Amino acid sequence: MRVLVTGGSGRLGRSVLSTLAERGHQVTSVDTTPATPPDGVAAITADLLDATAREDAFTRAAPEAVVHLAGIAVPFAHPDVRTLQVNTGLAWAVLSAAIEHGAHSAVAASSPTVYGYNTPTWTPRYLPLDEDHPVQPWHAYGLSKEIIEGTVRSLARTTDTCVLSALRPGYVVAPEEWAGATTQQGHTMAQRLADPALAAGSLFNYVDARDAAELFALVIEHPERVRHGQVYNAVADDPLAPGPVDELMARLHPTTAPHSAALSDGRAVFSNRRARTELGWEPTRTWRTQLSQGRVG
Ligand SMILES: NC(=O)c1ccc[n+]([C@@H]2O[C@H](COP(=O)([O-])OP(=O)(O)OC[C@H]3O[C@@H](n4cnc5c(N)ncnc54)[C@H](O)[C@@H]3O)[C@@H](O)[C@H]2O)c1
């Protein structure tokens, strides 16, 4: 199938391009940042906020499916208003273009930050956090992702020919980061695992970029499995910690203490059950397998 991927030069995008190409799709990447794409993938350098450039990219790619990753991917990386404008503007423009150009599915990247953790008073109603749990974003990045999820729901009401959805990838770990490259936070994965204070900021969530890419592929390959207009957590089965995180959560996020016992069997703070049971996703790359070359422990 012809697939247009926005943000294909990025951390997650590179794995999405490779995964889709390996699965036999005809892939076009669109990104403001030029990068050498994997073999067989076409690359267009363009700003998707520019209407003319966007229209040209969609016309050239003629996508049957769209994977929308482009945007500002880190909280506080830019002034708040810019983060809101770029992320929400891109999502509306790209997903609308997908519908207008006849794609039969389109999926956008959201984020677990929509849940709103990391405030002194954030209190979950229950743990693990699933897609039915209320969202309460408090920073511009998290709010932009809630609006992206709202954009998916809104546009889903306008079409029954293009199945729309959003995925919430956990802390994305690219292959080179497992191998020792520093992450977007400036530390290595081994350091993140060794110091709970580092992973606590994301409630110990993570996902291997290739596993996440496989979920994006499943969503566009099986639109009949997808809940039109809905969202799926895309996180690993286990937390990014050497053992259960019930005590760590109670200590580092005290407001979660009433519910942290639910994590005592080693499960992650976020549930991926919906993606597993409804989409058939099976994340297979855990920190235990990926860091097994002796860099940890
Ligand atoms: N990395 C994570 O841990 C993580 C977690 C949850 C959600 N996400 C989301 O997944 C998506 C991809 O994340 P990532 O880590 O690969 O980010 P990234 O910053 O590595 O890649 C984003 C890409 O989007 C491109 N881009 C930005 N604005 C653009 C525009 N106007 N037109 C075209 N391209 C543009 C950038 O050049 C960049 O290559 C983002 O939407 C991010 O918010 C990432």
Side-chain angles (χ1 to χ4, degrees):
M1 147 183 20
R2 293 185 304 278
V3 187
L4 185 153
V5 179
T6 76
S9 303
R11 165 183 290 96
L12 178 54
R14 293 191 295 275
S15 286
V16 169
L17 297 182
S18 302
T19 298
L20 291 175
E22 284 161 14
R23 290 163 86 106
H25 298 298
Q26 188 181 327
V27 185
T28 302
S29 168
V30 187
D31 202 302
T32 44
T33 305
T36 306
D39 283 350
V41 173
I44 298 173
T45 301
D47 182 347
L48 286 158
L49 287 172
D50 179 303
T52 305
R54 184 171 65 248
E55 183 63 20
D56 179 57
F58 271 82
T59 301
R60 283 165 66 186
E64 296 161 283
V66 173
V67 176
H68 174 52
L69 309 174
I72 293 173
V74 182
F76 312 114
H78 293 268
D80 289 345
V81 172
R82 179 168 164 73
T83 298
L84 272 173
Q85 286 175 335
V86 169
N87 286 357
T88 60
L90 273 173
W92 187 276
V94 168
L95 297 176
S96 299
I99 297 169
E100 285 159 17
H101 282 261
H104 64 67
S105 69
V107 55
S110 181
S111 159
T113 57
V114 292
Y115 288 110
Y117 41 85
N118 287 330
T119 69
T121 55
W122 180 76
T123 308
R125 290 198 187 163
Y126 55 84
L127 294 174
L129 297 164
D130 62 18
E131 294 84 346
D132 294 325
H133 192 283
V135 297
Q136 296 176 295
W138 61 269
H139 52 55
Y141 173 79
L143 178 60
S144 78
K145 293 302 184 179
E146 184 185 15
I147 295 171
I148 289 171
E149 293 182 2
T151 299
V152 165
R153 277 195 303 280
S154 293
L155 290 175
R157 297 182 190 114
T158 72
T159 175
D160 55 8
T161 57
C162 181
V163 175
L164 295 162
S165 59
L167 303 184
R168 296 174 181 157
Y171 185 82
V172 174
V173 188
E176 65 273 16
E177 293 167 341
W178 290 125
T182 51
T183 64
Q184 56 193 350
Q185 274 68 36
H187 53 254
T188 66
M189 287 309 295
Q191 289 167 333
R192 193 172 179 86
L193 191 61
D195 180 358
L198 295 176
S202 57
L203 305 193
F204 306 96
N205 75 39
Y206 77 105
V207 67
D208 178 274
R210 295 155 295 184
D211 280 345
E214 282 164 16
L215 182 54
F216 278 96
L218 279 174
V219 165
I220 61 169
E221 288 167 356
H222 295 284
E224 77 285 357
R225 296 182 189 170
V226 174
R227 295 194 203 189
H228 190 33
Q230 294 304 310
V231 61
Y232 299 83
N233 288 344
V235 292
D237 292 330
D238 59 339
L240 191 77
V245 290
D246 50 340
E247 289 175 16
L248 286 172
M249 285 288 289
R251 179 159 56 86
L252 297 168
H253 294 279
T255 55
T256 69
H259 303 292
S260 59
L263 310 172
S264 61
D265 61 359
R267 72 181 64 194
V269 181
F270 301 81
S271 168
N272 64 16
R273 189 163 175 273
R274 183 183 283 186
R276 272 188 165 276
T277 57
E278 299 183 15
L279 302 176
W281 184 49
E282 291 187 19
T284 57
R285 300 165 181 95
T286 75
W287 65 263
R288 292 172 203 277
T289 58
Q290 300 308 307
L291 286 175
S292 62
Q293 288 82 20
R295 290 187 178 86
V296 174

